[in-house]
Each structure stands twice: as C-alpha cells, then as structure tokens.
C-alpha cells in the first residue's frame, strides 16, 4: 500500500483450528518481534536486530526455531518498497539512525508438526493433513530514541488471529497442560452455543441486549461526566479572560485597543496532544489551532490565520488546500481585526505562508479535518464579531442594487412576521450588499449581509413548508415593530385543507396522483430554495461578504415546549431552533454560558432545559416537557459542542439566581475574597451530587440512626410486655409459619383446611350468646393493664 507516495506493508498469519504447539510457537514469534523492536535503537548496527530475534528463541529454549529463520528480518522502506542496501540481516554493519522506517518481518518456515501435537484436533480439521507449517508477522516500525515503535495498529495476539471452525465437543483433552485451558475452552463453547440455556433458567436475548445497552449508557454517562468536569474548569477560565477583556475595553481607552495581541497556541512542544501523528492534519478545538505536518513534524497554526479552506471533489486522491492571511493582498472584511493588526505589524520584515496543499488517498481523514476547520473558523469568527459589536450599531447601510447582472430571485414567498397583521407575500432578491423583499403591496424589507448573524435553510421533509430564516445581529423595523428574526417560506400543502366527509379508498387513483404531485412539488421547492441559497453565498462572497446557510440536524431533534406549545426543536451548527411555529425559538449557542436540566428524577417522564445567557441582563431561555428518552442524546450533543451542563431534581428561581450571579465579581473563581477560602467556581453549585452534599447526607444519616436507636431503647420494655401477651394469645406459634415454607401444595392445603375448621368452631363459640358447648375448651382470659 502507498500513502502520499510512501510505501507501507503489513502481514499477519491467521490460525484455523490451531493445536497448542502452533499457538505456543506463534507466541514465541511475537516475543522475538518485541526483542527486535528493543534492539532498534539509534547507534546499533543492523545485525543487532537479527541477532536479537535469534537470542530470544534461544532464551525461550527453542533452538530449533533459529534454523527456521529467514536470511533477514526486514528492510528499510520509503518511496521504494525495498532498499537493497539497508537489509536487517546477520552481517550488515550499517548504523541505525533515529527516524528510519523499516518493514520488520519476523518469519519461520518449515516448522515440523508432530502427530502427538495433532492428536487433540478434530478429525474433520485440515490440520490433520499437514506435517509442516510457517508463521510470519510483519509491521511498519519507526526508530525513536527509545527503540522501535510500531506504526501499523492491527491486532496480532493469538486470541485475535485464531479461529475455531471444526469444534468437536467429544474430544476430551488429556494431560496436565491441556487441562489448564479447560475453563477457557468451556467458556468459548458456551458463548458460541446457540442453545445456551442454564438448567432451571431461561435465556433472553432481549434482556442480554438491554443489559449491554444499559452498560453502554452508564459508561457513556460516566465519560460525559469526566469531560464535563474538565470542560467546566476550562470554561470558567475562558469566562474570566472574557470578563477581564471586557473590563479593559471599558477602562483602557483607544491605545490598548490598537495594540495587536500575539497568538499563543502551545507554550512548548511537550504540550502537544498524544493523539497527534507526524503526517496527519489534526484540529485542536480546545487550543483553537490546526496541526499541519511540515516535513513530518506537526506545526500548530492558529485558526485566525486561516483565510479559507477548500476541499475539491475527490477523484483517485483527496486534496485539502488551506489559504492564509498574508501581507500584500486584500484581507477582506471578514478578516479578524487582531489578525489584520498582526499582518500590518510583521509585514515589513517577515515572510508569510500563503497556501498549503495536502494530498491523501484516504478521503475520510481530510474530509473530517475540513469540517472541523470550518466549524472552528465559524466559532472564532463569531467570537471576533461579538467582541467588536457595539450596542449603538443599529442603523443599517443603504442597499446597493445589482445592475447589469441577473439577480438571484425567489418568487411567491410568504414573509413572517407580517406587516400590520396581514399575510405578506412577494419576491426575495439578492443584491450587492444585502437582500430585498418586495411584497405584492409594495412593502420593502432590506436585510444587509453584515447584519445577518445566522442564515438557516430548512428543507421540507416532515413539515408543510420549506423556508429560509435569518437571525439578525441588530433588529430591524418591520411595520411598527422591531424584529430580530425574519423568515421567508412557501407551503407545500395548504395548512388548512378541506377534508371530505366520505371515506376514500387507499387505492383511489386520484388520491395517489395527488400524493405523487405533492412529492414532486416538495422535491422541486427544496431544489429551488437550495439553489437560491447557493447563489446568495456566491453573491456575498464576490462582494467581500460572508453569508453561509446552516441546515438543522433532524437526527438530533427532540420534542419540547419553548413557548407554551409542543414543537420539534432541532440543533444547527450554531443554534438551537424551532422555525415552523411562531413565535420563533432561536438560541445562539455562542451566547450560552451554561445549560441546566430541571426536574430530573426517576419518577418524572419529562424534564426541563434552561439555557443561561452569557449576558446576565437577559433571562435564560427555556424548553419544557422534554421526554426523558432524549436526555442522554442532548447531553452528548452539548458535550460535543463544549457547553457545560448540570442537572437537578427541582425547578429553580432563575431571576433571583441571575441577579445574585451578576453582582458577584468572583463568581467564576474558586476562592473567596480572601483568596484562601475555597468555594465552587462558576455553575458547579448546581450539580446534583457534590462533595458537600455527600458529607451532609452522611451526617444526617448518622444523626437519624442515633435517634432511632434511642427511641428503640426507650420502647423496649413496653414492647416486651405486649410481646408476651400476644405470644400467650396466639393459637399456634410463628415457627409453624416458617415450617410451612418447606411444605408442598398438598400439605399446605390440608393445613389451610384445618385452620378454616378451627376458625369456624371459634366463631360458633363466640356467637353462642355467652354460653359454652359441651366439651368445649375453657376460653383464655386476657390480662389488661
């Protein structure tokens, strides 16, 4: 195989119905490979690797295997598959250097297999017909300062490459060595058996699957909890820096704002993640950088230095082109302000990288890197725009209409919100610096590209409409009201459709034609809206603006009640939205500081979700009555989006909480004003289970236990008297009840019949008017106190 013109090779031996002698030889072969890797240290000669394998065979008492070794145990590999001058044989004196890459191939040929070793094999197995066999294990190994390191991560343990095809249950192993693996063999047979039924019990595949699913859920919840602890600590630090920058902007003046802030990703190379490979494009979301391989070494580039990323359509190979902001070219309006200052600062004497292109035969890795870079660029761009945004930027610029060109247009659209309570229909056009909607009554609404915070295209799949939604940075006037969300849609079917009283057959050809026309109309409208969105993006990009349309993720959607009505809430790349029902529900994820789940108990069937805004002057957004089955998926999505969350059993007074948090200057710090006393930082106080809560619960349990002990001691004497009386009054002892547990059905029926007869006789005696029958027993007198 080849990767970026470099050769690679891997070899495995798969064992079918292997005797124990073959498995033992294979384990010895693996230990020889480990010895070779230890010998591949810089400074050692090539022959040391070959002798390390031979010495390992001798050390384990297998001198017969030394004669079965090939003439070499590998060779150097690179642009050529095999370098004839760099062979790992018994005579080569070439020195091993750090960074060399070898195909380490340990093999054994013509190993004898005795009849005694094949005695325990199944008679149907092909192993019975062979007298000799061969083994080989080959991997790509790179030389490091500590020795060889395997680069091919394919399994090679005996349990991973051994398969039992002919399993004979009648074969009984003999000898002490064979008996040692009896339990393991029995376990494998039970696991493979289709009729695995334990006597006296039932086997349920459904319960087994449920148990595995429950274990996966528990492990996933524990992993999310660990990530959330680290995420909350990191978010607290980020919020402290954001608040510090906000305070400095308010107090510092213009001189500090003119200075360029240096970009720091890693303080040193030791801080690199362990998952970064030498020849891999890796995106570090936490440090806001992209690791690009240069001459085999990973080099971090801050995301704000990347201008755009291009991923052409893959043919035989996939290409990823990354363009950077450089001096001597137009940076554009979407360039980060700090990046512009840095370019101007270093332009006189620094050299800039303008473009880098990477090629890979595996399209998955570069496609994933492309998506992550795009997402990270969007987040960084939104953060930059949020910092630069000022409260008084409400007035929009005038629309510049496109002339001498064909204008992208969508016709017969309905706009929401409407003008003066009337249905507003018209056409939407894309011009040089914005979009213009002209209604049939001559009403005009202009939406500037610079004022669009989020553009969302929602195709018609399960809804009755296909729509385009714009969430604006600053509200605009629609009629006499300020609106921050503008939507344009077309209904695929009428929302209010007349239904005939008579029943129609499912095979009615007219009804089938209507359904077919509806599907065709749905597809046609989706394509028309998608094409219009693409043209708007191209028009904005051509005029140095940035407009990108997001599509909601239906797979991550859930039912909820954000505005006193159950709707389908869906996340996008940047928002959590419901756009089909009014009022619109749009929450910008970049503005969410924390998410809290309320009414999370085992008894409740639904819970509530509260999204706390970073701006404490705004009240949190809510989504109520979410089914419990969606909680794990929502928490997993929040963790992937790096948003911290907590959960609790009750509803909270958020108005009071936000007021208290806004007044606390040390809310995101873990110490009090004395900087010694520790406290919970940020939103950690909302956790359902904390250290303080556990300690308090333990103290409460101990105190309740002690009180119960005291009460029980006080009432011991009184209860003992009543116990004596009750024991005298009982007709039969409690020991007889315990003995009944060991009776069969016939004995228990006879005993029950006898008890009924005694009860009837006792009732007759009580109802005799105070008299006693002849021969009846003297009734016992009760002592009363």
């Amino acid at each position: 195989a080849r990767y970026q013109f470099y050769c690679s090779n891997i070899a495995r031996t798969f064992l079918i119905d292997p005797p124990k002698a073959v498995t033992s030889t294979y384990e010895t072969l693996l230990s020889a490979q480990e010895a070779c890797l230890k010998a591949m240290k810089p400074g050692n000669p090539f022959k040391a690797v070959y002798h390390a394998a031979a010495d390992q065979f001798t050390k384990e008492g297998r001198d017969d295997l030394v004669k079965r070794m090939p003439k070499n145990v590998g060779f150097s590999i690179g642009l050529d598959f095999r370098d004839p001058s760099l062979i790992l044989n018994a005579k080569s004196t070439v020195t091993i250097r750090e960074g060399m890459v070898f195909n380490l191939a340990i093999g054994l040929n013509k190993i004898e297999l005795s009849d005694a070793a094949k005695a325990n094999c199944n008679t149907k197995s092909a192993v019975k017909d062979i007298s000799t066999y061969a083994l080989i294990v080959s991997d790509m190994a790179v030389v490091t300062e500590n020795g060889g390191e395997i680069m091919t991560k394919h399994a090679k343990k005996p349990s991973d490459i051994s398969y039992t095809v002919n399993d004979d249950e009648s074969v009984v192993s003999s000898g002490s060595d064979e008996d040692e693996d009896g339990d393991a063999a029995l376990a494998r047979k039970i696991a493979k058996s289709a009729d695995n039924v334990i006597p006296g019990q039932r086997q349920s595949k459904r319960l087994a699957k449920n148990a595995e699913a429950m274990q996966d859920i528990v492990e996933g919840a524990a992993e999310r909890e660990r990530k959330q602890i680290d995420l909350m600590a990191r978010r607290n630090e980020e919020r402290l820096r954001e608040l510090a920058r906000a305070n400095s902007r308010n107090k510092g003046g213009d001189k500090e704002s003119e200075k360029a802030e240096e970009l720091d990703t890693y303080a040193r190379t030791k801080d690199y993640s362990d998952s970064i490979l030498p020849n891999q494009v890796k995106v570090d979301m936490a440090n806001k950088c992209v690791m690009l391989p240069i001459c085999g070494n990973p080099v971090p580039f801050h995301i704000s230095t990347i201008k755009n990323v291009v991923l052409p359509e893959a043919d035989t190979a996939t290409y990823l082109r990354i363009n950077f902001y450089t001096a001597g070219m137009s940076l554009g309006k979407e360039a980060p302000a700090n990046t512009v200052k840095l370019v101007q600062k270093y332009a006189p004497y620094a050299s800039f990288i303008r473009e880098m292109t990477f090629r890979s035969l595996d399209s998955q890795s570069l496609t994933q890197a492309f998506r992550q870079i795009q997402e990270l660029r969007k987040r960084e761009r939104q953060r930059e725009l949020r910092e630069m945004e000022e409260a008084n930027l409400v007035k929009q610029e005038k629309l510049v209409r496109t002339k001498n060109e064909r204008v992208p247009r969508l016709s017969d659209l309905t706009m929401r919100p409407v003008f003066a309570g009337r249905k507003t229909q018209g056409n939407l056009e894309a011009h040089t610096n914005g979009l213009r909607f002209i209604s049939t009554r001559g009403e005009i609404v202009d939406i500037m590209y610079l004022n669009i915070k989020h553009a969302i295209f929602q195709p018609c799949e399960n809804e009755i409409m296909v729509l385009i939604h714009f969430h604006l940075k600053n509200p605009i006037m629609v009629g006499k009201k300020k609106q921050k969300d503008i939507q344009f849609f077309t209904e695929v079917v009428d929302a209010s459709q007349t239904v005939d009283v008579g029943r129609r057959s499912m095979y009615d050809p007219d009804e089938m034609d209507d359904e077919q026309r509806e599907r065709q109309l749905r597809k046609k409208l989706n394509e028309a809206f998608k094409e219009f969105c693409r043209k708007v993006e191209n028009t904005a990009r051509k005029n140095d603006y940035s407009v990108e349309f997001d599509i909601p993720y239906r797979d991550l959607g859930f039912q909820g009640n954000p505005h006193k009505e159950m709707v389908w809430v869906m996340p996008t790349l940047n928002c959590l939205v419901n756009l089909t029902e009014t009022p619109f529900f749009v929450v910008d994820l970049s503005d969410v500081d924390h998410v809290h789940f309320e009414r999370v108990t085992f008894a409740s069937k639904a819970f509530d979700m509260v999204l706390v805004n970073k701006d404490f002057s705004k009240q949190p957004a809510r989504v109520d009555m979410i089914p419990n089955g969606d909680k794990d998926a929502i928490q997993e999505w929040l963790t992937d989006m790096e948003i911290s969350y907590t959960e609790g059993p009750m509803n909270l007074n958020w108005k009071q909480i936000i007021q208290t948090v806004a007044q606390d200057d040390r809310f995101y710090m873990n110490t009090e004003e004395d900087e010694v006393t520790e406290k919970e930082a940020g939103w950690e106080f909302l956790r359902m289970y904390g250290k303080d809560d556990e300690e308090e619960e333990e103290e409460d349990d101990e105190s309740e236990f002690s009180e119960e002990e005291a009460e029980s001691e006080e009432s011991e004497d009184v209860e003992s008297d009543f116990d004596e009386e009750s024991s005298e009054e009982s007709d039969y002892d409690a020991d007889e009840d315990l003995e009944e547990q060991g009776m069969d059905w016939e004995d228990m029926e006879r005993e029950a019949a006898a008890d009924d007869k005694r009860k009837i006789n006792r009732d007759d005696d009580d109802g005799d008017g105070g008299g006693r029958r002849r021969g009846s027993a003297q009734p016992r007198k009760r002592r009363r106190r």
Side-chain angles (χ1 to χ4, degrees), residues 50 96 141 238 279 317 336 379 417 486 514 516 536 592 622 710 721 728 760:
Y50 186 92
I96 299 175
E238 292 177 358
N279 293 315
R379 293 187 186 181
I486 309 295
D514 292 341
Q516 183 67 20
V536 170
V592 176
R622 296 184 61 92
D721 296 336
E728 292 177 0
I760 292 172

Side-chain angles (χ1 to χ4, degrees), residues 105-127:
I106 311 295
L108 297 172
N109 191 24
K110 295 183 179 180
I111 310 172
E112 295 182 358
L113 185 62
S114 62
D115 294 336
K118 297 183 291 183
N120 295 326
C121 294
N122 192 294
T123 55
K124 299 179 181 179
S125 177
V127 179

